[in-house]
Amino acid sequence: MNSWANLGFDLHIELPQGIGIRAALLQTLRDAIDSGLLKPGTRLPPSRTLALDLGVARNTVADCYAELAAAGWLVTRPGSGTVVATLASTHSREVDPSPTRRRLTYSLLPGSPDASAFPRTAWISSARRALTTAPTDAFATTDPRGRVELRNALTTYLSRTRGVRVDPSRIVISASSGHGISLLARALGGTIAVDAFCLHLHRQLLVDEGLLTIPISVDESGTCTDELVSTSAESVLLTPTHQFPLGGPLTPARRATALEWASTTGGVIIEDDYDGEFRYDRKPVGALQGIAPQHVAYLGTVSKTLSPAIRIGWMVLPDRLIEPVLATKGPYERWVSSTDQLTLADFIESGRFDSHIRKMRTSYRRRRDQLVATLAQQVPRVRVAGISAGLHAVIRLPSGTEQSVLAAAQARDLGLEGLSVFRHPDVSSVGGDGIVVGYSTPTQSQYSRTLDVLCEVLQEVSTAIVSSPLAAIYGAFCGHGFSPRTAR
C-alpha cells in the first residue's frame, strides 16, 4: 500500500516489496500520477534528494525520472526541475466532486460586495505595518475576546459611526455575523422571534442550535414589533437599520416598542447591523444598541464593507451575556486569525476603512440609480423597493410569477434570488412573490450587461402573460408593475 504526502519538495514513498527497487519506484510513481495523488504540474524533488530519502542510489532515481519523462508521465524543464505532465493522467482531469456554487455568467445574487473593489494595496500596507509592530504574544494563544488592538479600534469606530455605546471589554470578535448568531443562540437557548422574511441562513443557524423560531410580520415600516408581546419569545433577531430582505428601516415608534418589550420581559434583542454604513437617500440611522446597551446584542462584520473572504465579525454584548458567550466560544481564539485582526485594526485606525466605505457608498449609489433608471426605461412601471440604503433592491411580482422569473433567469445563466427563499416556513406564501436583486455583486465592467439580461428576463415573463388567454392574469401583472409596452 502506498502512503503519500506531497509537501513542497518532500515526497514520502513506501515502495512495494517483492520486486526490485527500480521497478518498485517506477510502479509507485506511475500509480500516484494515474490516481491523481500527484497532480499535473506537481514538482518532484531532485533525484539526489529523493535518493537520499529512500536510501537508494541517485542513478536509480534519475533513471526512473528519465524513463517516465520519455513515456510522457513527467516533464523535465531545465532550471525548473521535474514536474508531472499536464496530460499524464485521465483521473487528474476529472472535475472536483465537492459541492461548490457554480460560477454564473451573470449574477445579481444578494449578499456580496463588488469583489473587484477590494482595496488590495491599502490592505497590504496595513498588513505590513501590523506585522512589523505586532507584539510577540500576537503569535501565541490568543484571548477568546479577540485581539485588544482590534477591540480598541472598533470601540472608537462603532461609537463614532454607528452610535454604539461600547468599551473594549464588551466586544467579542467572531468569524462572521453568522458565527456570532450561533454563539448567542447557544448562550441564550429557548424561543426566538424572527422576521417573517429574513436571511434564511441565519434562521437556519438558530434552528440548528435548537432554538424555536416564531415569525412576526414585516411591512414597509420594518418589523411589526408590537407582535412581540403576544409571543412566547425570549429574544428577537432584528435588522433595524435596513430590514433584510424587504429593505425598510425600523420606525422610531417600532424601535421604542421593541425596547419596551425587552425592558419589561428581560428579553434580548439581537441587532444585525449588516450594512449600516451604506445609506443614500436618508440621514444615517443609528444602532438600536446605542439606546439600550444592556438589552441589545449588537452584531457587525466586514463581509459587506470589505469582503466575505475577510473572516472577521464582532459582537457588542450586554454584561450578562459576555461570560456565557465566552464560555461557548472556548478558552482561546480558534476562529479568527490574529494577524488578520491586527491588520483590520490598523486599517481602521489609519483611516483607510473610512475612505474605502465612502468610495463604495458613492459607487453603490450610482449602481442603485442605474438599476432604477434601466428598469424604468426597459420595463416601465416595475415596482422597486428597499433602495434607500444597503446593497440590494426588491422587485415585487404578482402572485404566482416568481418561479417563472427565476426559470427565465436560469436559462440566461443569471443568478437571482426569489423572495420565497427568505420566507419563514410557517408563513403563508400568498402575495409574497418577488426577486431580491444584489446590485453590488457584479464587477463594474459587467454591470450594465447584467442589468440588460435582468430586463430581458422580466420582459419575457410579462410577454408570456400577455399572450395568455387569461386577460385577468395579465391585468394583475400590469397592476404589479409591468407595462403593455413590453409585449411588443
Side-chain angles (χ1 to χ4, degrees), residues 264-280:
T264 302
T265 65
V268 174
I269 299 171
I270 302 175
E271 178 179 14
D272 181 8
D273 194 27
Y274 70 99
D275 64 359
E277 291 88 351
F278 297 117
R279 71 275 178 183
Y280 312 119

Side-chain angles (χ1 to χ4, degrees), residues 24-43:
L25 181 57
L26 281 171
Q27 177 183 317
T28 302
L29 289 173
R30 274 196 300 261
D31 288 348
I33 295 170
D34 188 55
S35 67
L37 289 173
L38 282 177
K39 306 292 184 184
T42 299
R43 189 174 178 183

Side-chain angles (χ1 to χ4, degrees), residues 360-404:
M360 298 315 298
R361 188 184 295 136
T362 300
S363 173
Y364 293 146
R365 178 171 185 160
R366 288 173 179 161
R367 287 184 177 222
R368 192 265 328 247
D369 293 346
Q370 185 178 349
L371 168 66
V372 173
T374 302
L375 289 171
Q377 181 181 15
Q378 298 190 35
V379 196
R381 295 178 59 195
V382 161
R383 293 174 56 198
V384 185
I387 59 173
S388 63
L391 304 178
H392 74 275
V394 175
I395 296 178
R396 287 290 196 171
L397 301 173
S399 181
T401 61
E402 180 180 307
Q403 293 308 312
S404 296

Side-chain angles (χ1 to χ4, degrees), residues 16 30 75 89 107 139 141-142 161 165 209 245 264 341 347 382 402-403 443 460 466 480 484 487:
R30 274 196 300 261
V75 175
S89 167
S107 178
F139 303 97
T141 302
T142 305
T161 65
R165 292 165 61 184
E209 297 298 342
T264 302
Q341 292 184 59
F347 197 71
V382 161
E402 180 180 307
Q403 293 308 312
T443 61
E460 175 184 322
V466 168
H480 280 77

